[in-house]
């Protein structure tokens, strides 16, 4: 089975806000579905956290390297693409595009063998995973209402992030966290994301340590991105001093970038994003390096239903990955697949048991959000 063609479908019209200083609008396209077609008619799906314009440009660069390649050897093919394009800039749009290709190749490998990807990644440690509802912060009363709504939908774990947190006053920060804890309930897992990778993040180590002390009083499970994304030495110091776990890593790409963070014990929780880091092949390698260094991998998942499916398969194949991120209310997660996600009575998601990633895109639903140039590729899925 050989790679015959790769298409990109940009998602637009319902892009959720990201909490960024330069905020996303619904018509902004920052998520792209990748479709890898084979000479035998099978198609694999992947997801990229990058504009479709950049993905298509990267596919043009990569085309001579992937055309005619085996569709059943994801790690080797993806590594070939990485190794032969590193001079274009490791970690940029080319790496992001390879992430989608790699995930789609794992999907094809699973479909060809009749196995879920988690089993092919090495074996399944669990068959269901707890998703945490991921919400942008707002004023305390508004956020409390949002958390109450998603709790009533069945979620038992929650992350609140970005918005006004760390951008107004310490008093407002604490009122937000207090309201969130009350709305989530005393026994729910609650995580707080400062969003230190936002443009021109103003805070450093002392703010982060003071805030971590406040979060500890509310039983917060981890404090995410409290510092700028390259502040490695400050992260090492903060992790040693903090009474809550420290999490970060969503902006890094490829396994090589994570080694100083993992071997230097800068984090308690590392959060690569499958749709940016290099795909499932890189995620699995990072996950086992993290495990060997006593660090837990919890994938960053602010992307799509395909990204969520990949994260669930990965979580099934790593011993310590007990949570996945779920964007509450995003149509790109809830409204592009043939079957909707369903929480069980314990607030858990079953790891899809079908071949490959275990999800099927719904062409009619996907077409609602596809960019004009991607509509023809969506129509072929019918």
């Amino acid at each position: 089975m050989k790679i015959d063609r790769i298409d990109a479908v940009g998602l637009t019209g319902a892009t959720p806000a990201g909490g960024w200083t330069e905020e996303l609008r619904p018509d902004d396209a920052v998520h792209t579905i990748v479709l890898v077609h084979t000479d035998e008619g099978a198609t694999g799906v992947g997801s990229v956290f990058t504009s479709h314009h950049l993905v298509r440009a990267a596919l043009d660069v990569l085309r001579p390297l992937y055309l005619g390649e085996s569709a059943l050897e994801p790690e080797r093919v993806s590594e070939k693409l990485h190794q032969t394009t590193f001079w274009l800039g490791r970690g940029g749009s080319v790496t992001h595009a390879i992430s989608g290709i790699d995930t789609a190749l794992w999907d094809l490998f699973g479909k060809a063998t009749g196995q879920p990807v988690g089993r092919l990644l090495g074996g399944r440690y669990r068959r269901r995973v707890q998703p945490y509802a991921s919400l942008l912060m707002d004023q305390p009363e508004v956020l409390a209402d949002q958390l109450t709504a998603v709790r009533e939908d069945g979620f038992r774990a929650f992350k609140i992030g970005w918005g006004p947190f760390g951008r107004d006053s310490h008093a407002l920060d604490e009122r937000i966290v207090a309201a969130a804890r009350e709305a989530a309930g005393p026994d729910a897992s609650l995580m707080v994301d400062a969003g230190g990778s936002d443009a021109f993040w103003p805070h450093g180590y002392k703010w982060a340590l003071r805030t971590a002390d406040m979060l500890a009083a509310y039983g917060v499970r981890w404090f995410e991105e409290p510092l700028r994304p390259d502040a490695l030495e400050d992260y090492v110091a903060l992790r040693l001093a903090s009474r809550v776990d420290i999490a970060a890593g969503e902006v890094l790409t490829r396994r090589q970038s994570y080694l100083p963070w993992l071997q230097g014990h800068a984090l308690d929780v590392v959060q690569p994003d499958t749709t940016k880091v290099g795909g499932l092949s890189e995620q699995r390698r990072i996950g086992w390096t993290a495990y060997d260094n006593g660090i837990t991998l919890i994938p960053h998942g602010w992307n799509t239903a395909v990204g969520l499916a990949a994260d669930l398969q990965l979580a099934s194949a790593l011993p310590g990955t007990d949570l996945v991120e779920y964007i509450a209310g995003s149509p790109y997660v809830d409204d592009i697949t043939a079957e909707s996600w369903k929480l069980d009575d314990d607030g858990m998601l079953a790891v899809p048991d079908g071949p490959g990633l275990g999800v099927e895109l719904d062409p009619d639903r996907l077409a609602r959000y596809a960019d004009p140039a991607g509509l023809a590729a969506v129509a072929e899925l019918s």
Side-chain angles (χ1 to χ4, degrees):
M1 185 183 291
K2 305 296 184 182
I3 298 174
D4 184 60
R5 187 177 89 251
I6 301 180
D7 291 325
V9 180
L11 301 183
T12 184
T15 300
W20 303 348
T21 298
E22 295 294 327
E23 187 54 274
L24 293 170
R25 298 161 299 180
D27 287 338
D28 290 335
V30 295
H31 300 292
T32 303
I33 299 298
V34 168
L35 305 171
V36 176
H37 304 280
T38 71
D39 60 352
E40 296 184 13
T43 299
V45 299
S47 184
V48 185
F49 195 159
T50 302
S51 161
H52 57 278
H53 299 295
L54 293 174
V55 173
R56 289 185 181 126
L59 291 176
D60 285 342
V61 171
L62 293 166
R63 186 172 292 109
L65 300 171
Y66 65 66
L67 278 181
E69 263 289 3
S70 171
L72 303 180
E73 300 178 14
E75 284 198 354
R76 183 190 63 77
V77 173
S78 296
E79 191 65 18
K80 171 190 173 181
L81 299 181
H82 288 306
Q83 296 256 353
T84 52
T85 59
F86 77 95
W87 47 274
L88 293 174
R90 175 185 287 169
S93 299
V94 173
T95 299
H96 291 179
I98 296 171
S99 303
I101 296 171
D102 179 84
T103 299
L105 292 178
W106 279 105
D107 186 37
L108 280 166
F109 189 20
K111 289 172 178 175
T113 58
Q115 297 293 330
V117 165
R119 183 167 290 132
L120 300 178
L121 289 170
R124 307 179 82 189
Y125 289 87
R126 57 185 60 81
R127 293 184 177 274
R128 59 180 194 156
V129 184
Q130 184 170 55
Y132 63 82
S134 195
L135 298 166
L136 294 178
M137 292 195 210
D138 207 318
Q139 295 301 309
E141 298 78 10
V142 176
L143 178 62
D145 289 342
Q146 293 171 337
L147 281 166
T148 298
V150 292
R151 188 189 67 197
E152 291 174 351
D153 287 337
F155 286 93
R156 299 291 179 265
F158 311 89
K159 186 175 80 179
I160 56 173
W162 297 65
F165 194 84
R167 296 156 176 87
D168 186 294
S169 67
H170 185 78
L172 178 60
D173 292 347
E174 183 161 5
R175 288 201 301 116
I176 288 172
V177 175
R181 171 50 75 194
E182 183 175 358
D187 299 324
S189 291
L190 178 65
M191 289 71 73
V192 171
D193 181 358
S197 60
D198 193 14
F200 306 107
W201 179 246
H203 299 301
Y205 172 81
K206 291 183 178 179
W207 176 88
L209 182 58
R210 178 190 181 195
T211 304
D213 284 341
M214 180 268 287
L215 299 180
Y218 292 93
V220 168
R221 175 166 169 173
W222 74 61
F223 188 17
E224 183 172 330
E225 284 205 317
L227 298 163
R228 294 171 187 168
D230 299 309
L232 176 57
E233 292 183 1
D234 284 347
Y235 267 104
V236 171
L238 179 63
R239 178 183 169 271
L240 287 172
S242 172
R243 292 187 290 147
V244 298
D245 285 353
I246 301 300
E250 67 188 65
V251 301
L252 301 177
T253 55
R254 295 227 57 201
R255 62 190 185 274
Q256 294 88 347
S257 300
Y258 287 85
L259 284 176
W261 296 78
L262 302 178
Q263 295 174 346
H265 298 278
L267 303 170
D268 298 291
V269 178
V270 65
Q271 301 170 297
D273 189 316
T274 306
T275 68
K276 294 189 290 186
V277 75
L280 282 167
S281 295
E282 293 293 80
Q283 282 279 59
R284 183 178 66 86
R285 291 162 170 163
I286 294 164
W288 280 108
T289 302
Y291 179 82
D292 290 342
N293 285 278
I295 298 166
T296 302
L297 185 148
I298 304 292
H300 176 264
W302 194 270
N303 44 67
T304 69
V306 176
L308 175 59
D311 290 344
L312 288 166
Q313 295 292 343
L314 178 77
S316 75
L318 292 174
T321 302
D322 61 341
L323 291 170
V324 292
E325 185 169 15
Y326 192 114
I327 314 177
S330 170
Y332 301 162
V333 174
D334 295 332
D335 196 32
I336 65 171
T337 54
E339 293 187 13
S340 301
W341 302 102
K342 292 183 176 62
L343 299 176
D344 66 19
D345 291 341
D346 298 318
M348 307 282 277
L349 278 178
V351 178
D353 207 27
L357 295 177
V359 295
E360 180 183 350
L361 296 174
D362 183 305
D364 293 333
R365 292 180 174 182
L366 183 60
R368 299 173 193 165
Y369 310 110
D371 75 292
L375 281 172
V378 173
E380 285 189 33
L381 296 173
S382 300

